[in-house]
Amino acid sequence: AQLVESGGGSVQTGGSLRLSCRSSGYRTNSYCMAWFRQSPGKEREAVAVIDSDGSATYADSVKGRFTISIDKTVNTLYLQMNNLKPEDTAIYYCAARPDECMTGIWALGLMDTIFPSWGHGTQVTVSS
């Protein structure tokens, strides 16, 4: 799948942003889409994933603040980010795979290894 992100920008602490990721789409019944982020000097980390049934999983650091969703009618993945904090500053990437999400490996830090398709990334900056 080809993925194109949009919606990044600069906000103050407590602000909101919505990221979008337009996908060419997988023609499979089972797929997984995700948002990752990477800050300077840090490894890329999984933020949220959602499978084709709509089941979502979040990193502890964003639970209650971020919401991942898919609009299948327009093949677009979203990440609604509320109550943003300076530590949320990063480049955000969307990713996709034509299979289940395999969240069992999340704790091992291996989520990014199972996604074959990636977007180019969009910058999110949160100032204090």
Side-chain angles (χ1 to χ4, degrees):
Q2 291 185 330
L3 307 172
V4 179
E5 303 100 333
S6 61
S10 298
V11 296
Q12 292 187 328
T13 298
S16 298
L17 285 172
R18 189 177 78 158
L19 306 182
S20 300
C21 174
R22 187 70 184 268
S23 169
S24 60
Y26 282 115
R27 299 187 185 278
T28 59
N29 291 329
S30 179
Y31 58 84
C32 177
M33 297 193 74
W35 288 100
F36 289 78
R37 67 186 181 188
Q38 188 167 22
S39 305
K42 294 186 178 181
E43 294 186 352
R44 186 164 53 188
E45 63 174 349
V47 175
V49 302
I50 187 167
D51 65 21
S52 47
D53 292 331
S55 178
T57 304
Y58 298 90
D60 288 343
S61 60
V62 306
K63 282 181 181 176
R65 300 188 297 122
F66 291 10
T67 302
I68 188 172
S69 62
I70 294 178
D71 186 339
K72 296 180 182 181
T73 63
V74 292
N75 290 330
T76 301
L77 175 73
Y78 300 101
L79 185 68
Q80 177 66 45
M81 305 184 294
N82 298 328
N83 191 22
L84 283 160
K85 304 175 180 180
E87 51 264 42
D88 295 318
T89 295
I91 299 175
Y92 284 70
Y93 300 89
C94 70
R97 73 183 239 110
D99 208 333
E100 62 186 51
C101 286
M102 293 183 62
T103 53
I105 64 172
W106 191 307
L108 300 175
L110 298 175
M111 287 297 290
D112 60 337
T113 65
I114 64 172
F115 287 86
S117 301
W118 291 85
H120 63 280
T122 185
Q123 177 71 47
V124 171
T125 303
V126 185
S127 58
S128 57

